[in-house]
Each structure stands twice: as C-alpha cells, then as structure tokens.
C-alpha cells in the first residue's frame, strides 16, 4: 500500500483515497485523457474532458493536485504538462474491473 505524508493529516493511505474511483468519475476522465495525450496541459485536458464548461485552467484544480500529490500523475519539466504514472494506470484498471463486476 502507498502511504503519503500530509502536514495536516499525518500519514494517510493514498490508495484508499481513490478506492472509490469509477469509470464515470472526474478523476478517471482526467487520467484517461492524460493516458491518451501524454504531456497535455491542464487547460487542454479540461477542454477534452468537459467542453461544456469551457477550457479553464483553474477548473478541477483540486483533483489534479490530489492526483499529483498521491502519485497517480506527475508534472513535466517546469511544471508544464501531466504524465500518468504506473500507479495511475493501476487505479484506472481497478475502476474498469469494478465496472465490469458491476454489470
């Protein structure tokens, strides 16, 4: 299990934080977009995943920050562009398996 240190919470289980990730969730759509478009910026990813809300760079910022902090995403050089990690791919796989089991 992956444990991450937070100043306000101490150690917490990062995997438990995303254990309820489903194929319909915002986090999954962000991970999927970054998987298919490595190095994409937050603004461009928002345009792909939520075109009805516009291409705002601040939109869903807390989700991106949490995915980076927990290790599912990593930032490119100069904090520009996102890349998915192995842990992010594992989270996506678990969400897909959960969706298959649900049907």
């Amino acid at each position: 299990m992956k444990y991450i240190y937070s100043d306000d919470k101490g150690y917490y289980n990062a995997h438990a934080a995303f254990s309820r990730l489903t194929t319909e969730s915002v986090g999954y759509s962000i991970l999927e977009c970054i998987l298919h478009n490595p190095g994409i910026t937050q603004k461009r990813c928002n345009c792909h995943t939520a075109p009805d809300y516009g291409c705002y760079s601040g939109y869903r910022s807390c989700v991106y920050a949490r995915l980076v902090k927990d290790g599912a995403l990593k930032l490119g050089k100069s904090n520009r562009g996102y890349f998915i990690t192995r842990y992010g791919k594992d989270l996506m796989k678990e969400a897909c398996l959960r969706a298959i089991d649900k049907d």
Side-chain angles (χ1 to χ4, degrees):
M1 293 211 150
K2 185 170 184 157
Y3 289 93
I4 299 191
Y5 182 75
S6 170
D7 289 333
D8 46 321
K9 292 186 177 180
Y11 283 95
Y12 69 96
N13 185 349
H15 185 72
F18 286 107
S19 64
R20 293 182 301 273
L21 189 74
T22 65
T23 54
E24 292 89 24
S25 67
V26 173
Y28 183 86
S29 64
I30 290 171
L31 288 172
E32 185 177 37
C33 179
I34 294 171
L35 177 68
H36 295 301
N37 303 294
I40 194 169
T41 62
Q42 181 178 347
K43 184 176 181 178
R44 298 295 299 166
C45 187
N46 287 336
C47 288
H48 286 286
T49 58
D52 296 340
Y53 296 103
C55 301
Y56 303 113
S57 59
Y59 185 63
R60 300 178 176 171
S61 290
C62 57
V63 178
Y64 286 95
R66 186 62 183 239
L67 288 168
V68 170
K69 185 176 182 180
D70 289 352
L73 293 178
K74 66 177 182 175
L75 284 167
K77 289 186 178 184
S78 303
N79 292 337
R80 185 107 173 115
Y82 290 92
F83 297 90
I84 194 166
T85 64
R86 182 74 187 151
Y87 179 61
K89 291 176 185 177
D90 291 343
L91 287 174
M92 288 182 68
K93 187 186 334 179
E94 288 177 19
C96 288
L97 290 174
R98 224 176 283 113
I100 291 170
D101 290 342
K102 193 176 185 181
D103 293 335

